[in-house]
Amino acid sequence: MARLISIIDDNTSILSSLSLQFKSHGYTTCCFSSSIEALEHHTKHPADFYIIDIKMPGLDGIEFYEALC
């Protein structure tokens, strides 16, 4: 079973690039450009690993992590 990596970044170029790299190594990715939308999704469907941009509008990466835990 492929591991699910959630990538959360407001820069769509970074989202695409990271997603392609992880997929090429056999991982499944779930991408979000909004940390608030990601939090709503992941409270019900957690990922195995998270890559989160620290500086994001609305809810920054640290706040996302604290809310997820």
Side-chain angles (χ1 to χ4, degrees):
M1 180 173 122
R3 296 286 186 178
L4 176 62
I5 298 176
S6 180
I7 306 168
I8 306 161
D9 198 310
D10 56 337
N11 184 320
T12 56
S13 296
I14 291 173
L15 281 177
S16 298
S17 177
L18 287 174
S19 180
L20 286 171
Q21 287 295 318
F22 283 113
K23 285 180 179 182
S24 73
H25 290 281
Y27 293 95
T28 302
T29 62
C30 184
C31 298
F32 294 90
S33 59
S34 164
S35 55
I36 295 170
E37 289 177 15
L39 183 61
E40 290 172 2
H41 175 81
H42 288 299
T43 54
K44 295 179 183 169
H45 310 285
D48 296 306
F49 189 79
Y50 295 89
I51 298 175
I52 311 165
D53 183 8
I54 295 296
K55 293 184 178 182
M56 294 201 43
L59 188 68
D60 68 32
I62 294 171
E63 293 168 333
F64 171 87
Y65 176 75
E66 290 172 343
L68 191 62
C69 294

